[in-house]
Amino acid sequence: MTPSTGGVARSAGRVSRFRKGCQVLDLAARWLPLAAVAFAVAVITVAVCRRRAVTATGLGTALGGALLVAAVAVGRRLIVTGVPAGPHRPAAVAVYDAHTATLRTASWILVALGLSVCLASWLTGRYGPLPRRRRAPAPEQPSAPAPRL
């Protein structure tokens, strides 16, 4: 009697494609965040109005984190509905939750960090440092009378 694999990759071709997919995801997980930070720094550096660029970058980061939270939730829903009802469904949910816990945490950190940067940028623009007082101009020195000829 052999245990049922329940849809797990059975052939060598499927395992090879799965391995290749995991390698691509590993590579993307390493380089995409670095590329995003590099592009954000470059955009802020060349921006005419840096405060607006920082605000937009913060909003973009928060939006990206929110979309990632939504994608993880949709993925969870698809995984749960793809598993037949019965004793396997709670196990599939537990495995998915265990594998995506760090991703969910990082997503919420992105949302919080992006909104914090955006709020700080907006507040420093609105309630930033007061303009410095100009020193009073020096009183004019009486000029020496012009010599008479």
Side-chain angles (χ1 to χ4, degrees):
M1 183 173 187
T2 60
S4 173
T5 57
V8 177
R10 295 178 185 145
S11 67
R14 291 179 75 187
V15 171
S16 175
R17 282 188 298 172
F18 180 72
R19 183 176 295 138
K20 180 66 176 171
C22 287
Q23 289 171 350
V24 168
L25 287 176
D26 187 41
L27 184 67
R30 186 172 298 128
W31 289 106
L32 281 179
L34 293 175
V37 169
F39 286 136
V41 168
V43 165
I44 291 170
T45 302
V46 300
V48 174
C49 183
R50 288 194 176 142
R51 182 170 289 127
R52 283 186 183 169
V54 169
T55 303
T57 302
L59 280 176
T61 302
L63 180 64
L67 289 174
L68 196 54
V69 167
V72 169
V74 167
R76 184 178 193 270
R77 180 74 160 226
L78 290 173
I79 292 293
V80 169
T81 57
V83 175
H88 298 296
R89 186 171 280 186
V93 169
V95 168
Y96 185 82
D97 288 344
H99 283 171
T100 59
T102 305
L103 184 61
R104 279 194 316 268
T105 302
S107 302
W108 285 113
I109 288 172
L110 284 174
V111 170
L113 182 69
L115 290 177
S116 299
V117 167
C118 182
L119 181 66
S121 176
W122 181 74
L123 287 176
T124 57
R126 187 171 178 112
Y127 302 109
L130 296 174
R132 292 184 177 183
R133 286 187 174 186
R134 293 185 182 181
R135 293 192 310 176
E140 289 187 29
Q141 298 287 341
S143 59
R148 290 187 175 177
L149 292 177

